[in-house]
């Protein structure tokens, strides 16, 4: 089964409507150049605030799933008959917790919400504390059957937890999408590529990592095949990254490398 994905490596702005305009332009260019079946946008693409922004401004920016940002992305998806994943700040219903969710949404080509994932493992690392403003979700993503294969998802920092990708593969994922906002820093580029490659190899899946870029974030979005081969990648600037995926490659690799099948869960202690 062959399909075309495009990763939209973009730098999100504070105003969600500015990012809608960016998404519209990215879709227009992608449709003209690559005719994709599926587009992937980065983590928290709805709004990004520079370091030092007043916390209340960030918290007040959250929207609900039926809010204007999601609605505009649904319209864009439907108008172009395009499956889509994108990240946002989702307002919660918890009156005792002012934080929002770091949420990624999957739409089908009619703009319908097929899956919602609230990031469960928060980036409290490298001197940053995501949990100050973000409330963790309480369950992992349920992979979605699509015309392009069964697609799983996790977000950014979660690539450092092998159990998360393994959970998606155990649930039948052929392709795993990773929206991300990977912060620049010492060895961060090495970690980014190494971890993504490892998750693809050990689960024999395609892994698509779509990163933000710009002053704060790394860029370097990448697609890795089930044997760990990078088959498409971006640089540090805004760009569109097309990739052609053939899920027959998964069967081919798993025949040669049946490591997922050869697991022995009965002898593992994972606590």
């Amino acid at each position: 089964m062959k399909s075309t994905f495009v990763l939209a490596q973009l730098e999100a702005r504070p105003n969600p409507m500015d990012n809608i305009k960016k998404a519209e332009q990215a879709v227009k260019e992608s449709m003209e150049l690559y005719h994709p079946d599926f587009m992937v946008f980065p983590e928290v693409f709805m709004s990004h605030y520079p370091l030092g922004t007043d916390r209340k401004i960030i918290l007040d920016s959250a929207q609900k799933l039926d809010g204007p940002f999601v609605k505009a992305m649904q319209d864009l998806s439907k108008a172009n008959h395009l499956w889509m994943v994108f990240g946002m700040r989702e307002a919660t219903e918890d009156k005792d917790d002012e934080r929002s969710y770091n949420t990624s949404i999957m739409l089908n080509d009619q703009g319908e919400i097929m899956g919602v994932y609230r990031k469960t493992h928060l980036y409290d690392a490298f001197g940053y504390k995501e949990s100050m403003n973000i409330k963790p979700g309480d369950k992992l993503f349920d992979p979605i059957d699509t015309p392009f294969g069964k697609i799983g998802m996790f977000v950014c920092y979660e690539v450092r937890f092998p159990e998360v990708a393994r959970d998606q593969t155990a649930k039948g994922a052929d392709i795993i999408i990773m929206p991300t906002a990977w912060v620049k820093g010492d060895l961060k580029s090495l970690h980014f590529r190494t971890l993504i490659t490892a998750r693809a190899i050990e689960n024999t899946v395609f892994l698509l990592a779509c990163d933000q870029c710009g002053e704060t974030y790394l860029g370097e979005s990448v697609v890795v095949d089930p044997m760990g081969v990078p088959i498409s990648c971006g640089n540090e600037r805004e760009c569109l990254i097309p990739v052609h995926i053939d899920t027959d490659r998964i069967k081919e690799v798993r025949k040669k490398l049946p490591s997922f099948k050869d697991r022995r869960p009965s002898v593992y202690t994972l606590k």
Side-chain angles (χ1 to χ4, degrees), residues 227 246-257:
M227 194 60 92
D246 184 352
T247 52
D248 288 343
R249 172 71 168 154
I250 300 168
K251 297 172 191 171
E252 174 190 325
V253 170
R254 289 180 178 174
K255 186 175 180 180
K256 287 191 283 188
L257 178 64

Side-chain angles (χ1 to χ4, degrees), residues 3 5 7 175 193 196-197 200 205-209 221-234 241-247 249:
S3 53
F5 287 66
L7 310 187
I175 298 165
R193 180 61 71 88
I196 289 165
T197 303
V205 296
F206 285 94
L207 209 157
L208 288 66
S221 299
V222 64
V223 179
V224 178
D225 90 347
M227 194 60 92
V229 179
I231 55 175
S232 197
C233 59
I241 303 160
V243 63
H244 304 296
I245 288 182
D246 184 352
T247 52
R249 172 71 168 154

Side-chain angles (χ1 to χ4, degrees), residues 161-172:
F161 301 87
E163 302 90 342
V164 179
R166 180 53 50 93
D167 170 86
Q168 298 296 282
T169 308
K171 291 174 179 172

